[in-house]
Amino acid sequence: MLYATGQEDVSRAIVASLSEAIFGGTGLEPANRAKQLLARISYRLLKWTTRSVLPDGDGQEGATVYRNVILDRSGHPYAAALMGTTDKSTQCLVEGGDPMNSQYMMISPEIRQNAGTWDRIFLDSVQGKDVRLRMVWETLATYESARALLDAGKSVRLKAVAAGTGLSLILVYDRLIRDGFDPGRLAVSITDRDAVNIEKANRLMDKLQTTKGRQAVQERGGSILAKPEDLFEKSAGAGLEPYDVVTAIGILEYFHGHTYTTTEHHLNLTVQPEAASAIDLVQRLDEMVAHQGSLVVNTYRRNAATQLLELFGRRFDYRDRENLTDLMAAANFELTRLVAPAMCTMLRCTEKNL
């Protein structure tokens, strides 16, 4: 509904509710021990009852199909998103659009209070709480970094390098404008390699008062735009000024290097050769961030909540605080602030030290 065509009033109300919950500090907390225990039980139950069907041929459409009688009978959209995938090339990824955005909606008190039984089972789980907390911490870290520069009288350039984090950056921009800052001092860019995710972000921005009149041609003061971009293409970002704040949430966990384990390792799976490493990604991010600029990143810890996703073909590279600190140091970043620890993620804001 948030990204659907029309229903502008509903979309605006959802954004307003999310903004109030995130910036108003309504007390979102990690899952308690009871929910953590339930997550481990759920993992074992789903592990026993999940079956996969290998694709025929090597076509892009030949993604592995997963089936689970419990999830199938629920008829819940998140269950379908959990078991399904777009195509073979993305079957190991948590695709940044719908699965995550449905979790984000539960940040809104109004939506959470009116959730049904299956909504609560799927979206108010350990995984759901951790995803929501990551969204909150990411948004607050980006907002606080941008606001500090604006309060100092400077203009700010911000970028999100995946549309999954685009909602976070839209909320930050909307909040800064409502705080009274001049739009002419803000230049915001949201990029993703998937054009469909970019279409969703633009559709949402067309509905909001603070973003509907945006400049969508070039990045300069007063603009907020979303466009397709492959981070590893040499032309990506060429000729543009570096950014003061860059968010890269939900990306590093798919790149090898500086890890304490991986899905393939602990499940004894064949390791497929990868074209790019975590070092390659961090070096690319280094090129985007201005001197003394901030980069907001996260990592995954291995627990029952993320292992549950592995049952449906998702693959992760797991890092702890030391792993991530060493990785970022390889590209001239140092840890300046650990925003908050979580059970399956850590979110941090690092700063160039040249």
Side-chain angles (χ1 to χ4, degrees), residues 338-352:
L338 178 63
V339 178
M343 279 161 281
C344 73
T345 68
M346 290 188 296
L347 179 67
R348 63 195 69 235
C349 187
T350 57
E351 185 174 281
K352 268 191 175 180

Side-chain angles (χ1 to χ4, degrees), residues 265-325:
H265 181 263
H266 67 76
L267 293 183
N268 294 318
L269 302 174
T270 301
V271 178
Q272 300 296 327
E274 300 177 22
S277 70
I279 291 288
D280 295 322
L281 175 58
V282 171
Q283 289 176 340
R284 183 69 189 93
L285 294 171
D286 177 51
E287 296 170 4
M288 295 181 179
V289 181
H291 174 58
Q292 294 299 306
S294 296
L295 173 66
V296 183
V297 293
N298 76 296
T299 186
Y300 268 20
R301 290 180 177 178
R302 182 176 171 234
N303 67 3
T306 48
Q307 284 182 269
L308 187 147
L309 293 173
E310 291 177 335
L311 293 176
F312 302 99
R314 278 42 172 188
R315 301 287 181 264
F316 303 104
D317 293 83
Y318 295 103
R319 298 177 176 87
D320 56 23
R321 181 185 307 182
E322 289 72 25
N323 296 147
L324 187 55
T325 300

